[in-house]
Amino acid sequence: QAARCAYWSVAALCLLPLLIVAFGLQPGAPARVEKKQPVLATLRIGLAAARDPRVLLAYLSAMVSRGDLAVLSTFFLQYGMGQGLSAAEAQAAGTKFFGVAQVVATLWALVVIFFIDRFDRVLALALAMVMASASYITIGMVEDPLGPGMYAAAAFMGVGEMSGILASQSLVGQVAAEKGRGAIIGVFSMFGAAGILLATSLGGWLFDAWKPSAPYLLVGIADGALAVVALGLWLATRRSRTPAVVKSTA
């Protein structure tokens, strides 16, 4: 009943932006400068943009960061029920930790957005993914995911989660060219959806085959791998931008 009320509450909250959009936007369709592209043509534009390594990195970051978010709340319920709790008790226990993570993530967003614009976006993504990796691996090392030690781990996970999401979005916002921007953002979202499917399916298999904390270790390793890729790309582009020093001879 509590879960049902939660869904109805969110549905009610959606009415506010609905009213703002319904009455706040200028009426009438905007003037089109170019003919609208078919869906497949738009998809090809978005995929072709991945020839730029930074765009490809943004796509991969969407897959990883959205997968992180899915794993964050999916496996508390299964673990609790496996420990003999009812579905309601398991959901109530998991919601406490999820709430801690989201409150910390919201507050951390005010901090991380201050720093992202002061770093190269690729470097910012690398640093964010290091934090995300550390936070999810910390969760994976907790012996009892429903024990009191989970509060601190959940707070740290909120920091890592928000760092990865904001760094990913800021990167795609910078690398998406004006021409084809919509296609790039669309493919970015598509990779995010693929990340959710991959993390929940593979994480669920590891949950059954290995241990309950395995999904968190999975996304922690994925975050770490993406951090290495982002750092390597940042170093490569930094070297390419550094002018060569020519030695003069008398």
Side-chain angles (χ1 to χ4, degrees):
Q1 185 63 27
R4 192 181 301 276
C5 290
Y7 283 116
W8 278 113
S9 299
V10 174
L13 289 174
C14 291
L15 290 175
L16 177 60
L18 183 152
L19 294 174
I20 293 175
V21 171
F23 297 101
L25 293 181
Q26 182 177 351
R32 291 191 179 278
V33 179
E34 299 178 354
K35 184 180 178 181
K36 185 177 180 180
Q37 295 283 347
V39 174
L40 291 179
T42 302
L43 179 61
R44 283 196 295 268
I45 293 172
L47 293 176
R51 295 191 185 99
D52 183 340
R54 297 190 305 161
V55 175
L56 179 58
L57 179 65
Y59 289 167
L60 295 177
S61 71
M63 178 178 287
V64 170
S65 62
R66 290 297 183 270
D68 290 359
L69 187 59
V71 165
L72 179 60
S73 59
T74 300
F75 295 100
F76 280 121
L77 179 61
Q78 287 84 344
Y79 177 78
M81 293 177 67
Q83 296 298 108
L85 300 179
S86 67
E89 291 171 334
Q91 182 162 351
T95 300
K96 292 186 297 184
F97 303 122
F98 184 75
V100 169
Q102 294 311 302
V103 169
V104 173
T106 302
L107 297 175
W108 179 250
L110 302 176
V111 178
V112 73
I113 58 177
F114 178 80
F115 289 99
I116 285 179
D117 283 340
R118 288 161 174 76
F119 285 86
D120 179 275
R121 298 294 171 87
V122 175
L123 177 60
L125 179 67
L127 297 176
M129 286 302 161
V130 168
M131 297 182 65
S133 177
S135 66
Y136 279 88
I137 289 176
T138 298
I139 290 285
M141 300 300 290
V142 174
E143 294 185 3
D144 182 8
L146 297 179
M150 189 65 185
Y151 284 102
F156 186 28
M157 186 163 58
V159 170
E161 170 208 336
M162 185 55 67
S163 299
I165 290 175
L166 292 182
S168 173
Q169 292 177 342
S170 66
L171 176 61
V172 74
Q174 183 184 66
V175 301
E178 183 175 353
K179 184 177 177 60
R181 180 182 296 271
I184 293 174
I185 298 298
V187 173
F188 175 84
S189 300
M190 184 181 71
F191 269 79
I196 292 174
L197 291 173
L198 184 62
T200 52
S201 59
L202 184 55
W205 180 80
L206 291 173
F207 181 97
D208 293 330
W210 186 15
K211 60 180 181 177
S213 61
Y216 302 98
L217 294 175
L218 169 68
V219 297
I221 293 171
D223 290 337
L226 186 63
V228 172
V229 172
L231 184 60
L233 178 60
W234 177 73
L235 291 173
T237 54
R238 188 184 182 191
R239 283 195 296 266
S240 66
R241 290 195 301 264
T242 303
V245 178
V246 179
K247 294 182 179 181
S248 60
T249 58

